[in-house]
Amino acid sequence: MAAPKYELRIRGRLSATLLARFDPLESDVERVETVLHGRVRDQAELHGIIDRVQALGLELIEVRRLPD
């Protein structure tokens, strides 16, 4: 069974340097926010990503699990 896919919306447009901190998640930079998306193995990995967002001083707007 494949890992679930998540989408995280972050306020602002992240630089390439900051986006690299979230590898292997993919990203789409929209007008006023950055959308990270990809498969996340488990809740511990998801919490690690959220912790990284907070540690970098970024504003997390939304986290949602995408349908399979």
Side-chain angles (χ1 to χ4, degrees):
M1 184 168 150
K5 191 169 184 177
Y6 282 87
E7 176 182 274
L8 294 89
R9 292 184 172 272
I10 299 171
R11 186 167 317 281
R13 301 178 73 168
L14 301 187
S15 68
T17 303
L18 283 176
L19 289 174
R21 303 283 304 266
F22 296 99
D23 188 54
L25 295 177
E26 297 176 25
S27 63
D28 297 314
V29 178
E30 297 183 355
R31 190 167 159 231
V32 296
E33 61 191 26
T34 300
V35 181
L36 301 175
H37 50 90
R39 299 213 176 266
V40 177
R41 289 185 309 261
D42 54 28
Q43 291 295 309
E45 183 178 26
L46 179 61
H47 287 279
I49 295 167
I50 293 169
D51 288 346
R52 196 171 318 135
V53 168
Q54 293 174 338
L56 292 168
L58 304 171
E59 183 180 349
L60 184 61
I61 299 170
E62 178 184 28
V63 176
R64 71 182 180 120
R65 184 175 174 168
L66 300 174
D68 291 327

